[in-house]
Amino acid sequence: MTDEFQSGFVALVGRPNVGKSTLLNKLVGSKVSITSHRPQTTRNRVVGIVNGEGWQIAFVDTPGIHRPGRKRLNKMINQNALAGVEGVDVVALMISADGWRKGDEPALAAARESSAKRFLLINKVDTVNQKEALLPLMQESVEKLAFDEIIPVSATRGTGTDVLIETLVKYMPTLPAGYPEDQITDRNVQFQSSELIREQLFRQLNDEVPYATAVTIDAMETVEQVLHIDATIWVENDSQKPIVIGKGGERLKRIGSNARAGLERIVAGQVYLQVWVKVRKGWADDPGMLRELGVSDDL
Ligand SMILES: Nc1nc2c(ncn2[C@@H]2O[C@H](COP(=O)(O)OP(=O)(O)O)[C@@H](O)[C@H]2O)c(=O)[nH]1
Ligand SMILES: [Mg+2]
């Protein structure tokens, strides 16, 4: 039995905002990767692990591949995305059901260059009224690349996820499981804490401000079964600080309490979270800071 076990890696690639992280969370059944309606929420690679009878699939959620911006941070994000495609068994390119866009091209190129099997995931099918509308899109897609499989899904509703898993399992090599069965992500609680705070920043701040923020975890300690966490939100300039804090500290309070609620679900216990806001000019261009944030780490 055990020598029949199937296990492998699947990279989720695609332009920012197509729904990669949402799908990963749906498949894993827990929030392992943060999401928002804004592009570029995901900065690092995150692995989410799904287990079944006789198989294990490790999904690599990559930041959206996009045309590199000027800042070092953006270049690092792209590198993280491209590195996520290396060495996997399947590259799953995600597009939106409303059609191919110019922004899909860099990820398509990455899929094309990969020697892995290629899946096309057509996401957000909940937004199309008639299924037949997908046929011309599928036709157009096979002309771009000879995909091994094309699977329509809705990451938010979970439509098509069973078919996706069943199909993927067939492509997984015969190998023992790479991760313990009870592990759902390769990331530790410290990383998840900073990500849940970042998720709130992306959800609650407008315009450019969330892109100017970073989060570090300064201390983490369990005292009498309560997990105490000290975190710092870094902003790029003085004017952004009051925006994050909000009138009378309201916004910072909301950021903290929402992040704490998410964390308590993850650790299945009580969390005491203290969040500070500090200014660090030019952090998005500072190699030392990017290393500290884990954006430029190599997994
Ligand atoms: N209607 C709809 N929206 C979705 C679906 N999947 C993701 N979204 C939304 O698309 C946005 C981006 O999702 P996210 O997972 O962060 O995208 P990523 O940048 O590719 O990781 C979020 O607002 C999601 O709620 C879907 O299947 N249907
Ligand atoms: Mg994402």
Side-chain angles (χ1 to χ4, degrees), residues 207-255:
D207 306 324
E208 295 304 306
V209 186
Y211 298 95
T213 63
V215 177
T216 55
I217 302 299
D218 312 313
M220 229 169 96
E221 193 188 6
T222 304
V223 181
E224 286 166 7
Q225 286 166 29
V226 179
L227 178 61
H228 290 249
I229 301 174
D230 287 347
T232 304
I233 296 169
W234 298 94
V235 292
E236 280 189 321
N237 60 53
D238 298 322
S239 65
Q240 291 157 347
K241 194 170 162 173
I243 299 174
V244 174
I245 293 170
K247 259 200 202 97
E250 273 304 312
R251 185 173 283 133
L252 185 60
K253 220 181 193 166
R254 207 162 51 236
I255 289 168

Side-chain angles (χ1 to χ4, degrees), residues 16-22 35-37 123-124 126-127 154-156:
N17 232 19
V18 284
K20 300 178 294 298
S21 300
T22 305
T35 64
S36 85
H37 66 284
N123 190 30
K124 309 196 184 183
D126 54 288
T127 61
S154 166
T156 43

